[in-house]
Amino acid sequence: MSQETNFEDKFSELNNTKDSTSEFSQQDINSNKVMAILAYLGILVLVPIFAAKDSKFARFHANQGLVLFLAEIAFYIVLTIVSAIILAISWKLYFIITILSLVWIVFLVLAIIGIINAANGKAKELPVIGKFTLLK
């Protein structure tokens, strides 16, 4: 019971990120939800970056999506290098690569959180990586 409560507390703490929805106009939010959702779909982050330059709401989500996308690319590069090293040692260690590959689930969860926030018209930072700002 105490472990379950501890996990819930940790998850709530992790997901308790800055909400800056009040900084955006309701008209901007309503007219740019689709652009904000596209920001979390991999390379489609480029669509709101270039097509919704004037929307602060879409730009906020484009920043979150861009940080997520770059984190995914960095992880893919690291995983590729580590996989090559592990396979050079022995193919019998392939299970380690499989376990490391499960980190993709974290990226999927972050993208889903971002999509839900965008669809609900909220400008809430993603857990862990949301504090980084690449776009202004």
Side-chain angles (χ1 to χ4, degrees):
M1 175 94 173
S2 65
Q3 283 183 331
E4 184 178 310
T5 305
N6 193 17
F7 174 76
E8 289 174 12
D9 292 341
K10 295 254 187 220
F11 183 75
S12 294
E13 182 181 315
L14 178 70
N15 200 27
N16 187 17
T17 58
K18 182 181 175 190
D19 187 349
S20 55
T21 307
S22 61
E23 297 174 16
F24 306 100
S25 73
Q26 196 59 44
Q27 181 183 6
D28 183 21
I29 292 170
N30 291 337
S31 60
N32 289 291
K33 281 184 184 179
V34 173
M35 289 294 180
I37 291 169
L38 286 176
Y40 297 100
L41 302 176
I43 194 71
L44 292 180
V45 70
L46 296 175
V47 174
I49 288 174
F50 294 114
K53 291 183 224 183
D54 298 331
S55 168
K56 288 183 178 183
F57 182 72
R59 200 111 176 118
F60 172 85
H61 285 287
N63 179 72
Q64 297 288 293
L66 183 61
V67 170
L68 180 62
F69 184 58
L70 293 176
E72 290 173 4
I73 291 171
F75 177 73
Y76 176 75
I77 291 168
V78 169
L79 181 64
T80 302
I81 293 168
V82 169
S83 298
I85 292 169
I86 289 172
L87 290 176
I89 295 169
S90 174
W91 65 270
K92 293 179 183 179
L93 298 174
Y94 191 79
F95 71 95
I96 296 172
I97 299 168
T98 303
I99 293 168
L100 290 174
S101 296
L102 294 176
V103 172
W104 286 114
I105 294 171
V106 173
F107 292 118
L108 177 63
V109 168
L110 290 174
I112 290 170
I113 290 170
I115 290 169
I116 290 170
N117 284 336
N120 289 331
K122 293 185 180 179
K124 209 170 169 187
E125 291 180 348
L126 292 175
V128 183
I129 62 171
K131 291 178 176 66
F132 298 101
T133 303
L134 299 176
L135 301 173
K136 298 209 178 206

